Amino acid sequence: MSIRIGILGYGNLGRGVEKAVMANADQELTAVFTRRDPAGVKTVSGCPVLSIEELPGKKDEIDVLILCGGSATDLPEQTPEYASMFNVVDSFDTHARIPEHFDAVDKAAKRGLRIGVISCGWDPGMFSLSRIYAHSVLPNGRDYTFWGRGVSQGHSDAIRRIDGVVDARQYTVPVEEALEQVRSGKNPELTVRQKHTRECYVVAQEGADLARIEKEIKEMPNYFADYDTTVQFISAQEMKEKHSELPHGGSVIYSGQTGERKHVIEYSLKLDSNPEFTGSVIAAVARAAYRMNAEGQTGARTMFDIAPKYLSPETDEWLRAHYL
Amino acid sequence: MSIRIGILGYGNLGRGVEKAVMANADQELTAVFTRRDPAGVKTVSGCPVLSIEELPGKKDEIDVLILCGGSATDLPEQTPEYASMFNVVDSFDTHARIPEHFDAVDKAAKRGLRIGVISCGWDPGMFSLSRIYAHSVLPNGRDYTFWGRGVSQGHSDAIRRIDGVVDARQYTVPVEEALEQVRSGKNPELTVRQKHTRECYVVAQEGADLARIEKEIKEMPNYFADYDTTVQFISAQEMKEKHSELPHGGSVIYSGQTGERKHVIEYSLKLDSNPEFTGSVIAAVARAAYRMNAEGQTGARTMFDIAPKYLSPETDEWLRAHYL
């Protein structure tokens, strides 16, 4: 019997999850739920689109509900709310608020006898796993995370909010020299500026003051001021042709020691589509959430709490024979 | 309270485990056990050395027994034998016999109400984890494993058994071109010969027939015949100066797709000391074995069955706040 999946929120991530569920032989899509008018939403898979108001009535038709909203305002409300009715998985990534989010989801999920897995994807997610495994094995060590080359949607949005900007795409780029230093096991101290540069492609309104836009981008606190940032103005046509994909990736490099001897562990991702890969991680976690709840487990979880076998569609015997 | 560790077998791996346990603040070494005369064995940590016969009497002084013998003859007997008395961890790596070894350990550990974790280290071990995570996330994909550059102790031993050979060291070297093809996501079909080469450094007896030795190496079935192998004869002095370390490493590269879009996941290790890194993985698994058994779990496990948090010395709260 298939694991029945519901998706709440149908943006880039929602579509990425949908594609992943379609690729998983043991999962099927019950419906996509949206706050918009369902009549205006068409799914890739052809599955039904329903209003978010119908969710509570679908308790018996959904094994795991995947929450594809944003971390700023959607997930802090939605994940606890629905964790009391469904097994849920989210990709909450506001680092500083993870402890309180975990607690809220834990209470709701325990009340509803469900499992709620938060902060799934690749960072937080696969990169977090890479960090915990490395640190557990080599306590005497240090981790470095590099992101990119890839599109940061948060930084792209920040540029789009500037007056006179029609569209923007921001690429985060790791500094090759810093990467090499870390890979060599030198454990360098690196500033924010030494680790990444930021490349911005901007479509401006006709007649806009380009110098002012460039200055506003480069001086934007937190987002750009601490980085070497380049800004290039391009046409809407060029934006569409060259920058319509959402590639991303990066590396977690852990450099540790046993006495005098050094060991370098690197986990790296090169992703043609950030939302599709993130959606694929989330779909695998949904399988784990379903199984853990079927065993009687309840409450909040992160990927740290999930034994790898729960993520896999294969049997324990097959995994030992083929992947060990 | 510290986790009390016993080590059975005190070769390269035993010393690697000892060093790892010494580096772990939450673990302490009870004793090293050996089949040799304990009087002739001196430990790095200064911990007691006892005869293997004393092991059954130490049930109450050891929380986890780490088995550091070989996979050919030691572990198939020792792991099931001691799994009925202790929580145990081994690094069993005879791939074809993993299912029967797992079953034997499972029966014994369940009888003794203990946990027995088999096949820990980096391959099997960390590389296996990399494979299962990647395949779980991207079912439509393919994994490649490259080993090296590093010393293969099995291949070095095979050369040492040749008549006229005093000492030998064999390095397994991945073929750079094959690595690049795989990293690019091309999913090439690669023969054994296209993936790795083998470099042999040999100290021969004075007057030995070098041409015969080289021929015997290069034609040895399974070990060398299917590879491009180079043999270099060196002095005992040069062997000692340049080849006395046991570095190793490698990469698991998984190339998968979501529809048209490609994603490449790579996990790589560069290890100055194979036995010290392997020992560090095993020490982390010993922590997990202890905790899982303390929760009431019994039976055989592999790293696939262990949630990452069990491996870490940190609390769940700390991990969520710092590593997620």
Side-chain angles (χ1 to χ4, degrees):
Chain A
M1 204 192 68
S2 285
I3 302 170
R4 300 164 303 170
I5 304 286
I7 294 174
L8 173 56
Y10 199 63
N12 285 326
L13 181 58
R15 280 189 295 272
V17 169
E18 180 184 29
K19 214 163 167 180
V21 169
M22 288 163 68
N24 285 337
D26 62 341
Q27 300 184 329
E28 62 182 71
L29 215 51
T30 302
V32 162
F33 297 85
T34 178
R35 283 178 299 205
R36 293 179 268 171
D37 174 7
V41 178
K42 215 177 136 48
T43 58
V44 176
S45 64
C47 81
V49 181
L50 303 174
S51 161
I52 187 170
E53 331 247 284
E54 297 197 47
L55 252 177
K58 297 291 175 182
K59 270 201 212 181
D60 298 333
E61 295 168 44
I62 292 173
D63 296 312
V64 186
L65 178 67
I66 296 176
L67 304 167
C68 298
S71 295
T73 55
D74 298 334
L75 299 177
E77 295 207 347
Q78 289 176 349
T79 315
E81 178 178 353
Y82 294 106
S84 66
M85 300 177 229
F86 300 95
N87 295 311
V88 295
V89 181
D90 81 14
S91 60
F92 186 76
D93 66 357
T94 309
H95 199 91
R97 299 187 60 192
I98 283 176
E100 65 185 285
H101 188 59
F102 185 90
D103 289 343
V105 174
D106 193 49
K107 279 196 192 75
K110 280 182 176 149
R111 199 170 57 235
L113 303 179
R114 308 285 178 159
I115 283 276
V117 193
I118 67 160
S119 302
C120 304
W122 58 274
D123 197 9
M126 302 310 297
F127 275 14
S128 319
L129 290 175
S130 172
R131 290 188 277 263
I132 186 178
Y133 277 117
H135 177 72
S136 299
V137 169
L138 298 175
N140 183 15
R142 184 168 171 175
D143 66 286
Y144 294 82
T145 303
F146 290 89
W147 295 274
R149 176 188 172 96
V151 174
S152 165
Q153 297 182 66
H155 287 77
S156 300
D157 288 342
I159 300 174
R160 284 191 201 103
R161 287 191 291 264
I162 293 173
D163 194 45
V165 170
V166 176
D167 197 4
R169 204 74 83 250
Q170 194 268 183
Y171 293 87
T172 306
V173 185
V175 175
E176 200 58 40
E177 194 191 344
L179 265 172
E180 287 313 314
Q181 274 185 54
V182 170
R183 281 188 182 127
S184 73
K186 280 186 189 136
N187 280 6
E189 293 293 334
L190 296 168
T191 63
V192 155
R193 190 178 300 274
Q194 287 170 320
K195 285 180 71 189
H196 298 92
T197 57
R198 299 199 176 276
E199 287 177 14
C200 311
Y201 297 86
V202 179
V203 179
Q205 278 170 6
E206 235 187 276
D209 179 349
L210 302 188
R212 180 203 34 96
I213 291 173
E214 179 165 346
K215 187 165 184 290
E216 279 193 44
I217 294 172
K218 290 187 171 175
E219 294 179 353
M220 199 185 295
N222 303 317
Y223 285 89
F224 295 101
D226 297 334
Y227 298 84
D228 289 339
T229 301
T230 56
V231 176
Q232 205 177 318
F233 292 95
I234 61 175
S235 67
Q237 179 68 16
E238 186 176 346
M239 179 66 80
K240 199 181 157 193
E241 281 170 16
K242 297 190 187 164
H243 305 284
S244 61
E245 296 288 312
L246 294 169
H248 218 317
S251 298
V252 174
I253 305 176
Y254 191 92
S255 168
Q257 294 186 219
T258 51
E260 300 294 296
R261 297 197 176 87
K262 288 187 178 177
H263 311 285
V264 178
I265 304 170
E266 178 164 355
Y267 178 81
S268 71
L269 295 172
K270 278 185 289 186
L271 311 174
D272 272 4
S273 164
N274 181 356
E276 290 186 7
F277 185 79
T278 302
S280 299
V281 175
I282 291 174
V285 172
R287 176 183 294 127
Y290 172 74
R291 290 177 177 172
M292 293 164 81
N293 186 245
E295 284 183 0
Q297 297 187 46
T298 64
R301 297 287 187 279
T302 72
M303 292 183 80
F304 293 158
D305 306 309
I306 299 176
K309 68 168 178 177
Y310 286 105
L311 300 168
S312 172
E314 311 293 346
T315 65
D316 293 359
E317 291 73 19
W318 189 94
L319 290 169
R320 284 195 292 273
H322 294 86
Y323 272 171
L324 204 61
Chain B
M1 204 191 66
S2 285
I3 302 170
R4 299 164 304 169
I5 305 284
I7 294 174
L8 172 57
Y10 198 62
N12 284 328
L13 180 59
R15 281 190 294 273
V17 169
E18 180 184 29
K19 214 163 167 181
V21 170
M22 288 162 69
N24 284 339
D26 61 341
Q27 299 184 330
E28 62 181 69
L29 215 51
T30 302
V32 162
F33 297 86
T34 178
R35 282 177 300 204
R36 291 179 271 171
D37 175 7
V41 178
K42 216 178 135 47
T43 58
V44 175
S45 64
C47 82
V49 181
L50 303 173
S51 161
I52 187 170
E53 332 247 285
E54 297 197 47
L55 252 178
K58 297 291 177 185
K59 272 199 210 181
D60 298 334
E61 295 168 45
I62 292 171
D63 296 313
V64 186
L65 179 67
I66 296 176
L67 303 168
C68 298
S71 295
T73 56
D74 299 335
L75 299 178
E77 295 208 345
Q78 290 176 350
T79 315
E81 178 179 355
Y82 294 106
S84 66
M85 300 177 227
F86 301 95
N87 296 310
V88 296
V89 182
D90 80 15
S91 61
F92 186 76
D93 66 357
T94 308
H95 200 91
R97 299 186 60 191
I98 283 176
E100 63 184 286
H101 187 60
F102 185 89
D103 289 343
V105 174
D106 194 49
K107 280 196 191 74
K110 280 182 176 150
R111 201 169 57 234
L113 304 179
R114 309 285 178 160
I115 283 277
V117 193
I118 67 160
S119 303
C120 305
W122 57 276
D123 197 8
M126 303 309 297
F127 274 15
S128 319
L129 290 175
S130 171
R131 289 187 277 262
I132 186 179
Y133 277 118
H135 177 73
S136 300
V137 169
L138 298 175
N140 183 14
R142 183 167 172 175
D143 66 289
Y144 294 83
T145 303
F146 290 89
W147 295 276
R149 174 187 172 99
V151 174
S152 164
Q153 298 182 66
H155 287 78
S156 301
D157 289 342
I159 301 174
R160 285 191 202 102
R161 286 192 292 264
I162 293 174
D163 195 44
V165 170
V166 176
D167 198 4
R169 205 74 83 250
Q170 193 270 180
Y171 293 87
T172 306
V173 185
V175 175
E176 200 57 42
E177 194 190 345
L179 265 172
E180 287 313 314
Q181 272 185 53
V182 170
R183 280 187 184 129
S184 73
K186 281 187 190 137
N187 281 5
E189 294 294 334
L190 296 168
T191 63
V192 155
R193 190 179 300 274
Q194 286 170 321
K195 285 180 71 188
H196 297 93
T197 58
R198 300 199 176 276
E199 287 177 16
C200 312
Y201 297 87
V202 180
V203 180
Q205 277 170 7
E206 235 186 278
D209 179 350
L210 303 188
R212 182 205 29 99
I213 292 174
E214 181 167 343
K215 189 165 182 287
E216 279 194 40
I217 295 172
K218 289 187 171 175
E219 294 179 353
M220 198 183 295
N222 302 318
Y223 284 89
F224 294 101
D226 297 333
Y227 298 85
D228 288 339
T229 301
T230 56
V231 177
Q232 204 176 322
F233 292 95
I234 62 174
S235 67
Q237 179 66 18
E238 188 177 344
M239 179 66 80
K240 198 181 157 194
E241 283 170 16
K242 296 191 186 162
H243 305 286
S244 62
E245 296 287 312
L246 294 168
H248 218 316
S251 298
V252 173
I253 306 176
Y254 191 92
S255 169
Q257 293 185 221
T258 50
E260 300 293 296
R261 298 197 175 87
K262 287 187 177 178
H263 311 285
V264 178
I265 304 172
E266 178 165 356
Y267 179 79
S268 72
L269 296 172
K270 277 183 291 186
L271 312 173
D272 273 3
S273 165
N274 181 355
E276 291 187 6
F277 185 79
T278 304
S280 299
V281 175
I282 291 174
V285 173
R287 177 183 294 126
Y290 172 75
R291 291 178 176 170
M292 291 164 82
N293 186 244
E295 284 182 359
Q297 297 188 47
T298 64
R301 298 286 187 280
T302 72
M303 292 182 79
F304 293 159
D305 307 310
I306 300 176
K309 67 167 179 176
Y310 286 106
L311 300 168
S312 171
E314 311 294 346
T315 65
D316 293 358
E317 291 74 20
W318 189 94
L319 290 170
R320 284 195 292 272
H322 293 87
Y323 272 172
L324 206 59

